[in-house]
């Protein structure tokens, strides 16, 4: 076309209709036309463009002198632009054996892309020079910020200046000064002589004179010396929020019994925004005596250089999606990450009545690294089952499809009462005893002792009759408990109700569910006490009748006990899905939902038109990432129709969403998303309008994978972790935090056991200890992915550890 941006001509790529595939413009793959390159070098690429296409990107090809031309990678999406706009990217280091490259943009949607003024420039860095490091003197020792750290000043009322006792519950105790101290005259002792419940604490006084001043974003090294005659002792941390006042922050680790003075050290998490002071100390929650002395708190935040983008600018801010070069081996209606890094994909009949009638039931184990699928013999129709990982790594599968809807309308889908356990070691299902009744779309929540509680779903008879049975699987006995052994509420729960284990052992029904239309109780959400069979309504949920196929997540870290819902709709009225979020703090005495920030709007996949400000999506997936954020992606505006292209990441600390590159494959009903141990997220499935199943696989690489070298766990002496222990690990450089992430068991926008557990750090440098919570309701027993994250938010690849 004419004119061009700087000359007489430009190139126009105009796609007027689109179903699949793409159309590209690139340099001709010949020695005369393709840019010559040097292995090991990188190259700056640029061109100018205008675009009306919502889906366009740039791709890079390389010529290997042995194997010829081949695709290397995409270099980033191209945003629509009415005026000529410059696109820039930098190639990765050119692989050995490559002598030429070819690159250019492509379009995979309706629209027009106009191109001009291409450039490829060698960016090989200048040679490095080595100079002797300057001679420096040792820096001064950091200042201890604790007032009266050894209890030697202002002795009044049994306490030293700037120290206070605290606690609650039914117990008999004394708290006071004892002599001699470790380094001076005094130490402080908690002596609990009788115990029923609660705890007793010694910590810095919560006032501006005695509280430790802190800086947002910094971390602080804590240490003290102790002796203890009880195994029931720990260290706790509180913070002062400038708006809401003093509040519990987190426990930093347990204190094993010690007859001689022993040092405890820990590193705080990064100080949250709005926090100006902290206090901390030891506490006892059982019979015995704890003596502490010589407290220290110092600012331990080194000057960390900012992360340097190692990819294109778009990759470092919006991440990157890749469509794999092979399709799914089975329909990914259920996806369960196994403790070997592979994924159990369960389809059953795959929402296909003909396959059901023929008894064609499918499962497979998918290896996302090798790109292979191993078929698994599937004894019954495991379509729309419940599932959860057991403490030993096996997968409990419950319920499923007894029958499809009758053509004459005499009955709806019927729930199966059978249950199986899948063993990753053999890739086989083994049947366990039957459940009390049939369940189609049941929940599955792991409890603090490893048992699994299952609620809801359609029963085995009638026209859409919901089961009101409460089912409990005993992990110790490897069986479902009988009717007389379970506490029954005889109330409906709906289909796939999202039920999350709370830190006190109760359960929180978030309001998210599948199908059904409106809410099942007055407020749409509730706290459920299984032991007593009682349910308490929780207020504040916005649009409680629009929670079909919404997503719910226990926000990281799990110790904060904050739950968030994302989007949703009403599959009965089929009104526009919403973009609302709701957040609740379950540690509050009377918890209630509050409105969170809305999900960013996207574009309609079929037309490329942007959504209106009121439109959102249902069928979206939400995945906890190892840097403490949550990825949400996929979904559609209406029931099994009108797919929405939109992906974003929610930051719980900043309470805001950041838009990401979107999955180029629309994802509707029956999609699943799984965090892989390497930090990527694999997205599978879509089942719109009963018109065939999406078999393409998309993989998202978050921005943290393009921000520089990743920290590495170089030594993990022990992969079997007991509660309340400090586990040593070695890392290749100092890190800011560590976390355990429970692997995915996802279906129908529900993954109630997904959680990230913070591991407070002991020590600094490369030899550190990780403090595991004493509370199994925070980290239910089982296999977890262990990652460490540096000060720039870059996580390591995960190692597997078993908790319990």
């Amino acid at each position: 076309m004419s004119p061009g941006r700087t000359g007489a001509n430009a190139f126009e790529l105009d796609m007027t209709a689109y179903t699949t595939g793409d159309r590209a413009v690139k340099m001709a793959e010949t020695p005369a036309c393709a840019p010559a390159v040097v292995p090991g070098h990188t190259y700056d690429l640029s061109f100018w463009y205008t675009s009306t296409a919502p889906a366009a990107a740039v791709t890079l090809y390389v010529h290997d002198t042995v194997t010829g031309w081949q695709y290397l990678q995409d270099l980033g999406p191209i945003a629509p632009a009415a005026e000529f706009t410059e696109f820039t990217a930098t190639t990765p280091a050119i692989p050995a054996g490559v002598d030429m490259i070819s690159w250019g943009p492509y379009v995979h949607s309706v629209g027009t892309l106009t191109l001009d003024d291409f450039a490829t420039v060698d960016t090989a860095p200048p040679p490095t020079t080595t100079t002797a490091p300057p001679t420096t003197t040792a820096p001064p020792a950091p200042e201890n910020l604790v007032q009266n750290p050894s209890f030697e000043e202002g002795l009044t009322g049994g306490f030293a200046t700037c120290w206070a006792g605290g606690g609650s519950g039914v117990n008999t105790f004394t708290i006071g000064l004892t002599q001699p101290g470790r380094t001076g005259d005094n130490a402080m002792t908690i002596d609990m002589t009788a115990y029923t419940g609660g705890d007793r604490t010694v910590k810095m006084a919560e006032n501006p004179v005695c509280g430790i001043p802190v800086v947002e974003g910094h971390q602080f090294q804590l240490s003290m010396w102790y002796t203890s005659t009880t195994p029931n002792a720990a260290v706790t941390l509180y913070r002062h929020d400038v708006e809401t006042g003093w509040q519990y922050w987190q426990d930093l680790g347990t204190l094993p019994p010690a007859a001689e003075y022993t040092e405890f050290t820990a590193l705080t998490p990064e100080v949250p925004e709005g926090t100006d002071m902290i206090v901390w100390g030891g506490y006892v929650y059982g019979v015995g005596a704890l003596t502490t002395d010589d407290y220290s708190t110092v600012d331990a935040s080194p000057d960390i250089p900012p992360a340097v983008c190692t990819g294109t600018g778009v990759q470092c801010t919006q991440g990157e999606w890749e469509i794999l070069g092979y399709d799914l081996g089975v329909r990914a209606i259920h996806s369960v990450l196994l403790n070997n890094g592979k994924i159990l994909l369960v389809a059953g009949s795959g929402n296909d009545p003909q396959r059901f009638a023929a008894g064609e039931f499918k499962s497979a184990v998918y290896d996302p690294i090798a790109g292979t699928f191993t078929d698994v013999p599937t004894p019954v129709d495991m379509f729309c089952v419940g599932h959860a990982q057991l403490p030993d790594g096996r997968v409990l599968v419950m319920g499923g499809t007894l029958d499809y809807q009758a053509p004459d309308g005499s009955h709806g889908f019927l729930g199966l009462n059978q249950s199986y356990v899948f063993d990753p070691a053999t890739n086989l299902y083994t049947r366990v005893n039957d459940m009390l009744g049939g369940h189609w779309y049941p929940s599955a929540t792991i409890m603090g002792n490893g048992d699994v509680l299952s609620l809801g779903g359609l029963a085995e008879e009638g026209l859409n009759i919901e089961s009101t049975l409460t089912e409990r699987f005993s992990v110790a006995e490897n069986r479902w408990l009988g009717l007389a052994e379970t506490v029954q509420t005889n109330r409906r729960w709906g289909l796939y109700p999202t039920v999350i284990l709370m830190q006190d052992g109760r359960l929180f029904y978030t309001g998210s569910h599948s199908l059904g239309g409106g809410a099942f109780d007055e407020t749409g959400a509730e706290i459920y006490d299984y032991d007593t069979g009682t349910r308490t309504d929780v207020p504040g949920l916005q649009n409680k009748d629009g929670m079909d196929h919404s997503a719910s997540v226990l926000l990281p870290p799990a110790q904060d006990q904050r739950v968030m819902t994302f989007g949703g709709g009403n599959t009965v009225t089929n009104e526009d899905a919403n973009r609302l979020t709701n957040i609740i703090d379950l540690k509050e005495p009377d918890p209630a939902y509050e409105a969170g920030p809305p999900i960013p709007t996207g574009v309609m996949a079929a037309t490329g038109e942007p959504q209106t400000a009121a439109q959102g999506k249902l069928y979206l997936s939400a995945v906890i990432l190892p840097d403490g954020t949550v990825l949400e992606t996929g979904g559609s505006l209406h029931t099994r129709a009108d797919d929405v292209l939109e992906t974003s990441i929610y930051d719980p600390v900043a309470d805001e969403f950041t838009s990401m590159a979107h999955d180029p494959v629309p994802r509707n009903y029956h999609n699943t998303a799984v965090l892989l141990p390497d930090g990527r997220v694999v997205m599978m499935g879509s089942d719109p309008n009963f018109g065939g199943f999406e078999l393409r696989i998309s993989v998202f690489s978050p921005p943290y994978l393009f921000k520089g070298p990743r920290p590495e766990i170089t030594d993990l002496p022990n992969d079997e972790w007991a509660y309340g222990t400090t586990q040593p690990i070695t890392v290749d450089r100092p890190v800011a935090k560590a976390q355990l992430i429970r692997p995915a068991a996802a279906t129908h926008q529900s993954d109630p056991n997904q959680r990230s557990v913070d591991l407070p750090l002991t020590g600094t440098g490369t030899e550190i200890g990780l403090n595991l919570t004493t509370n199994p309701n925070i980290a239910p027993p089982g296999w977890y992915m262990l990652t460490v994250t540096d000060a720039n938010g870059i996580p390591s690849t995960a190692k597997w550890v078993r908790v319990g």
Side-chain angles (χ1 to χ4, degrees):
M1 63 166 289
S2 300
R5 170 179 170 267
T6 56
N9 299 311
F11 195 98
E12 185 176 276
L13 179 57
D14 186 12
M15 187 171 288
T16 57
Y18 179 81
T19 303
T20 61
D22 58 64
R23 294 296 165 183
V25 174
K26 61 182 179 180
M27 295 87 189
E29 294 176 343
T30 67
C33 301
V37 293
V38 178
H41 287 207
T42 61
Y43 291 79
D44 279 346
L45 316 179
S46 68
F47 65 87
W48 292 78
Y49 74 94
T50 66
S51 177
T52 65
V58 175
T59 194
L60 173 65
Y61 298 79
V62 297
H63 180 265
D64 188 283
T65 55
V66 176
T67 59
W69 285 100
Q70 54 194 272
Y71 166 82
L72 182 60
Q73 69 176 60
D74 278 10
L75 292 172
I78 303 172
E83 304 294 332
F84 270 108
T85 302
E86 186 178 28
F87 173 90
T88 62
T90 301
T91 71
I94 299 300
V98 170
D99 62 349
M100 292 180 287
I101 62 173
S102 172
W103 64 278
Y106 68 94
V107 174
H108 51 103
S109 65
V110 171
T112 302
L113 184 63
T114 303
L115 311 163
D116 205 358
D117 298 334
F118 282 69
T120 302
V121 179
D122 192 336
T123 62
T128 58
T129 59
T130 302
T131 59
T135 301
T136 60
T137 59
E143 177 188 4
N144 182 5
L145 301 173
V146 179
Q147 301 296 316
N148 195 16
S150 300
F151 312 110
E152 302 301 317
E153 300 173 6
L155 308 179
T156 58
F159 278 85
T161 298
C162 280
W163 291 90
S168 63
V170 180
N171 42 69
T172 303
F173 68 96
T174 59
I175 300 178
L177 295 170
T178 55
Q179 291 79 30
R182 172 179 169 267
T183 57
D185 292 334
N186 300 311
M188 184 70 77
T189 296
I190 307 170
D191 187 6
M192 189 171 288
T193 55
Y195 178 81
T196 301
D199 58 66
R200 294 297 158 180
T201 307
V202 168
K203 61 184 178 180
M204 297 94 188
E206 295 176 345
N207 61 56
V209 174
C210 302
I212 297 168
V214 292
V215 180
E216 293 177 6
H218 284 212
Q219 292 180 278
F220 290 77
Q221 181 71 27
L222 315 180
S223 71
M224 58 90 165
W225 293 78
Y226 78 95
T227 65
S228 176
T229 65
T230 175
N232 301 312
V235 175
T236 192
L237 174 66
Y238 297 79
R239 65 184 183 90
H240 181 264
D241 187 281
V242 293
E243 293 185 358
T244 59
W246 286 101
Q247 55 193 270
Y248 166 82
W249 191 358
Q250 67 173 218
D251 279 7
L252 292 169
T254 55
L255 299 172
E260 303 294 331
Y261 271 107
T262 302
E263 186 179 23
F264 170 86
T265 64
L267 188 69
T268 71
E270 293 179 351
V271 174
E273 182 179 357
T275 294
D276 62 349
M277 290 181 290
I278 62 172
V279 299
W280 63 281
Y283 73 96
V284 175
Y285 53 98
V287 172
L290 172 68
T291 299
T292 60
D293 200 2
D294 297 334
Y295 282 71
S296 173
T297 300
V298 299
D299 193 328
S301 293
D303 293 328
I304 302 295
V308 177
C309 179
T310 58
T312 67
V314 171
Q315 289 172 326
C316 290
T317 58
Q318 299 180 20
E320 179 181 66
W321 285 94
E322 176 189 4
I323 302 175
L324 300 184
Y326 55 88
D327 288 345
L328 285 168
V330 299
R331 298 184 174 190
I333 292 172
H334 308 268
S335 298
V336 183
L337 183 62
L338 307 173
N339 66 331
N340 55 18
K342 300 176 183 180
I343 304 173
L344 173 64
L345 302 178
V346 182
S349 60
N351 205 20
D352 186 335
Q354 294 181 344
R355 292 183 180 182
F356 176 81
E360 296 179 1
F361 308 137
K362 299 289 186 181
S363 301
V365 171
Y366 168 40
D367 185 335
I369 303 303
T372 58
F373 297 86
T374 303
D375 288 338
V376 175
T378 308
V380 293
D381 192 5
M382 295 179 178
F383 170 56
C384 297
V385 294
H387 37 58
Q389 293 97 336
L390 295 174
D392 61 3
R394 296 178 303 150
V395 180
L396 178 65
V397 180
M398 65 214 67
T401 304
L402 177 63
D403 199 359
Y404 275 67
Q405 297 167 317
D408 63 2
S410 59
H411 66 77
F413 277 97
L414 302 181
L416 190 68
N417 69 348
Q418 293 185 29
S419 184
Y420 294 79
V421 171
F422 175 81
D423 189 342
T426 62
N427 283 352
L428 294 174
Y429 292 106
T430 300
R431 187 170 179 177
V432 294
N433 66 313
D434 293 346
M435 305 171 77
L436 297 174
H439 298 266
W440 187 77
Y441 278 58
S443 73
T445 302
I446 191 164
M447 308 296 283
N449 68 346
D451 287 1
V452 175
L453 198 73
S454 182
L455 304 164
L458 295 183
E460 66 267 38
E461 73 283 322
L463 183 60
N464 299 330
I465 295 177
E466 293 179 16
S467 173
T468 59
L469 290 168
T470 298
E471 308 269 8
R472 184 158 186 157
F473 183 83
S474 168
V475 68
E477 300 180 37
N478 199 49
R479 68 177 180 93
W480 292 97
L481 299 180
L483 185 63
E485 300 172 287
T486 53
V487 180
Q488 297 293 323
T489 61
N490 298 313
R491 292 175 62 182
R492 66 184 292 223
W493 288 95
L495 279 63
Y496 282 132
T498 299
V499 180
I500 294 174
L501 179 67
M502 297 169 57
Q503 67 177 3
D504 61 6
R506 295 180 298 166
L507 298 134
F508 178 53
Y509 167 52
T510 69
S512 292
H513 56 266
S514 295
L515 305 177
F520 305 120
D521 47 50
E522 182 178 348
T523 62
E526 60 186 49
I527 291 174
Y528 169 45
D529 188 332
Y530 167 80
D531 292 332
T532 63
T534 57
R535 295 162 54 154
T536 305
D537 285 337
V538 170
L541 183 63
Q542 304 173 91
N543 195 18
K544 66 184 180 67
D545 294 323
M547 296 296 291
D548 278 2
H549 294 284
S550 59
S552 293
V553 169
L554 178 63
L555 291 173
Q559 286 92 334
D560 283 357
Q561 292 289 282
R562 297 170 67 235
V563 171
M564 184 173 187
T565 73
F566 299 77
N570 188 309
T571 54
V572 174
T573 63
N574 203 23
E575 59 199 31
D576 285 357
N578 67 76
R579 53 191 288 240
L580 301 174
T581 69
N582 300 274
I583 302 175
I584 189 170
D585 185 346
L586 294 172
K587 298 191 307 298
E588 292 293 325
D590 297 303
Y593 270 119
E594 295 183 356
I599 299 168
T601 54
V603 298
M604 303 307 297
T607 65
E609 293 295 319
Q611 289 186 290
T612 69
Q615 292 177 324
K617 54 186 181 175
L618 71 167
Y619 307 127
L620 72 168
S621 290
V623 179
I624 294 174
L625 300 178
D627 65 349
T629 61
V630 179
L631 173 76
E632 67 81 20
T633 186
S636 64
L637 182 61
H638 295 117
T639 305
R640 305 188 75 161
D642 303 323
D643 298 334
V644 177
L645 300 180
E646 186 274 330
T647 297
S648 64
I649 286 180
Y650 174 73
D651 183 342
V653 176
D655 190 30
E656 63 183 16
F657 285 94
T658 301
S659 293
M660 296 287 117
H662 62 66
D663 184 352
V665 179
R667 301 291 179 180
N668 199 298
Y669 195 36
H670 289 150
N671 73 72
T672 54
V674 174
L675 173 69
L676 298 177
D678 63 12
R680 298 177 301 158
V681 176
V682 60
M683 191 77 182
M684 299 170 287
S686 184
D687 191 9
N689 291 323
F690 302 92
F693 199 88
E694 175 61 69
L695 296 177
R696 286 177 292 175
I697 304 170
S698 302
V699 177
F700 181 65
S701 295
Y704 53 62
L705 294 180
F706 302 99
K707 291 186 176 180
R710 305 177 69 176
E712 182 182 354
I713 302 171
T714 57
D715 187 31
L716 178 66
N718 181 25
D719 64 1
E720 297 276 346
W721 289 15
Y723 291 109
T725 57
T726 298
Q727 296 291 334
I729 68 167
T730 304
V731 292
D732 65 340
R733 63 178 187 267
V735 296
K737 63 179 182 178
Q739 48 282 320
L740 294 176
I741 299 180
R742 193 170 182 91
T747 187
H748 294 76
Q749 292 64 64
S750 179
D751 190 359
N753 300 308
Q754 183 182 195
R755 60 183 58 209
S756 175
V757 179
D758 185 69
L759 299 170
L761 306 184
T762 296
T764 57
T766 59
E767 303 286 338
I768 58 177
L770 307 181
N771 295 314
L772 178 62
T773 178
T774 60
N775 186 351
N777 296 322
I778 293 290
W783 286 91
Y784 287 78
M785 293 182 284
L786 166 66
T787 62
V788 295
T789 304
D790 70 13
N792 286 317
I794 304 173
S796 68
T797 296
K799 302 282 189 181
W800 286 97
V801 299
R802 182 182 176 185
V803 171

